[in-house]
Amino acid sequence: MTVPEPGSRPAGHTRWPRLGWVMVPTLLVSGALLAAVSAGALPVSLAVSAQSMVISGQNLKISADRLQGTGFTQYVGMDRSKSQAYPEAIAGIDSADLYNLCQSMVVRLPVVGETTLRIGAGGGGKPAHADHLVVHTDDLGGDAVFSDITIGQDASTFKNGPDGAGIFGQRADTVRIDHLRQSTREVTAATFRLTGLHLGVKSGSKPCY
């Protein structure tokens, strides 16, 4: 009979609180912490790319007083989790400023129950900024203005557009969305500068909207 060394953890036991926190979108937390260390500038991916990996399938809620961007494209595509496929509107913005940005994720943890991870940035007239922002969304609301818009362009002709000709797409030189409310399963960006970052984790369901 082998006696476990002092301080060792018996095999087969699961630390449920630790396991629960792994369920929180790790890349989002890591990105926010790196932003704090690097004074707001970081390469960040708020979810994994559906082109190379499988998404979690959980919804992230995003709100902002205003999104203002240049180089807008959008088309319909699909994301996959391990058990399901999701139709999404995939929007790309070359350069985007977001005023009073809020991001929230509600997860259910063992023992604790519903828990909300919430991140705020871009207040006080100093917006958060993203380069090469790509958002996969199934629901979006707000008051939008597009300039020099083209509707019906083949999305495969967009820079970094989808493979396969004939996919319906639209593009615009600039976009502005006031009172943005958005539900998404995936957000990626080459750089995401979170000015005035604040991250909080609280019990209960307390999303951005």
Side-chain angles (χ1 to χ4, degrees):
M1 179 177 178
T2 302
V3 178
E5 295 181 4
S8 65
R9 183 166 59 91
H13 287 206
T14 301
R15 296 183 179 179
W16 288 108
R18 178 176 296 179
L19 177 62
W21 288 117
V22 174
M23 295 170 61
V24 176
T26 308
L27 289 175
L28 182 61
V29 177
S30 300
L33 293 177
L34 285 172
V37 173
S38 60
L42 72 158
V44 64
S45 177
L46 303 184
V48 298
S49 169
Q51 295 179 354
S52 59
M53 297 184 70
V54 178
I55 64 171
S56 71
Q58 291 183 292
N59 282 79
L60 173 74
K61 285 193 172 182
I62 297 174
S63 67
D65 288 353
R66 182 168 87 247
L67 179 153
Q68 197 156 352
T70 58
F72 172 85
T73 60
Q74 187 176 64
Y75 61 93
V76 176
M78 183 174 64
D79 287 332
R80 290 185 180 274
S81 67
K82 287 186 176 181
S83 61
Q84 193 172 345
Y86 303 93
E88 308 275 22
I90 302 173
I93 303 177
D94 287 343
S95 178
D97 289 327
L98 299 106
Y99 294 81
N100 288 327
L101 172 67
C102 177
Q103 304 166 77
S104 64
M105 169 70 76
V106 179
V107 297
R108 181 171 290 278
L109 303 179
V111 181
V112 178
E114 282 193 331
T115 302
T116 302
L117 169 69
R118 186 162 170 163
I119 292 175
K126 298 179 179 179
H129 179 82
D131 292 314
H132 305 297
L133 178 68
V134 179
V135 181
H136 296 225
T137 185
D138 59 2
D139 188 75
L140 182 147
D143 301 316
V145 177
F146 301 90
S147 67
D148 296 321
I149 187 170
T150 300
I151 300 174
Q153 183 172 339
D154 188 328
S156 68
T157 64
F158 296 158
K159 181 181 178 181
N160 300 320
D163 295 330
I167 299 175
F168 184 93
Q170 59 182 353
R171 59 157 302 281
D173 286 351
T174 67
V175 58
R176 171 172 171 157
I177 303 176
D178 293 325
H179 316 300
L180 174 68
R181 300 291 184 269
Q182 187 168 42
S183 174
T184 178
R185 293 184 182 89
E186 177 182 355
V187 179
T188 62
T191 303
F192 210 162
R193 187 181 300 274
L194 299 175
T195 310
L197 170 71
H198 178 262
L199 182 151
V201 179
K202 295 184 179 181
S203 297
S205 178
K206 300 174 183 177
C208 295
Y209 66 92

